[in-house]
Amino acid sequence: MGYILRQCHAEYDRLYIQDKLREMNPHMLEVVNMIRPDGDVEIPQETVEGFQPPNCETCGGVLKPDIIFFGDNVPRARVEAVKDSISQSNSLLVLGSSLTVFSSYRIVLQALEENKNIAIVNIGPTRADKLVKIKISARCGDILPKIC
Ligand SMILES: [Zn+2]
């Protein structure tokens, strides 16, 4: 996953940005040792205030991850690409999603409409549990090594 800036569309490799973050924020390395088993970390306020984010090297703007944030719209071209992929596939495997958000749920609806085989692996209930024949309630990290 690259990081992208919306204004100038420059993209950077994720690992390149990670190195930049380390270089610009050596004081944050101590935070790595404070990560709890559940992945949470309590960061002192003075450490947060001293954080320096890298800017776009092309335009100097703010970088943001190339992901869709909750409440944002999935770009039309990406929606169409997913629709085409579903139509060209014979099955759909949903991993680690509750399918609560309609943009993901509609992928399952399309696959159902096109009579694709559908399986879901998710640790909790999903919006499509009653619509599919195969639902495995488990951690993806436990299941994937067994089927790959
Ligand atoms: Zn830029």
Side-chain angles (χ1 to χ4, degrees):
M1 175 180 73
Y3 274 41
I4 187 167
L5 179 73
R6 288 184 169 190
Q7 292 151 346
C8 81
H9 299 285
E11 288 186 36
Y12 300 91
D13 181 82
R14 174 70 178 82
L15 293 177
Y16 175 75
I17 295 301
Q18 189 66 38
D19 287 345
K20 282 290 221 191
L21 285 166
R22 259 193 217 104
E23 208 177 285
M24 296 171 72
N25 299 283
H27 67 287
M28 293 297 287
L29 294 177
E30 68 195 53
V31 170
V32 173
N33 298 323
M34 298 158 41
I35 297 175
R36 295 189 210 127
D38 65 358
D40 280 357
V41 61
E42 203 166 299
I43 305 172
Q45 190 59 33
E46 61 270 17
T47 304
V48 173
E49 287 168 2
F51 179 75
Q52 295 294 314
N55 289 334
C56 177
E57 294 171 3
T58 305
C59 71
V62 176
L63 295 175
K64 90 178 255 247
D66 185 17
I67 59 173
I68 309 301
F69 285 102
F70 194 80
D72 278 356
N73 292 318
V74 179
R76 194 78 219 149
R78 199 169 302 168
V79 170
E80 293 305 319
V82 169
K83 279 184 181 175
D84 290 348
S85 292
I86 294 296
S87 290
Q88 292 165 22
S89 304
N90 60 16
S91 55
L92 172 67
L93 175 59
V94 178
L95 297 170
S97 173
S98 65
L99 300 168
T100 303
V101 176
F102 191 75
S103 55
S104 58
Y105 181 62
R106 74 176 161 205
I107 296 169
V108 173
L109 294 179
Q110 179 194 346
L112 274 171
E113 195 178 298
E114 296 180 10
N115 295 314
K116 310 293 182 181
N117 299 307
I118 305 169
I120 300 173
V121 179
N122 193 56
I123 204 160
T126 82
R127 192 175 183 178
D129 284 357
K130 289 179 180 154
L131 304 176
V132 301
K133 291 178 187 152
I134 302 172
K135 162 68 192 304
I136 299 170
S137 196
R139 294 167 50 99
C140 294
D142 294 337
I143 296 299
L144 285 181
K146 294 175 182 164
I147 61 174
C148 291

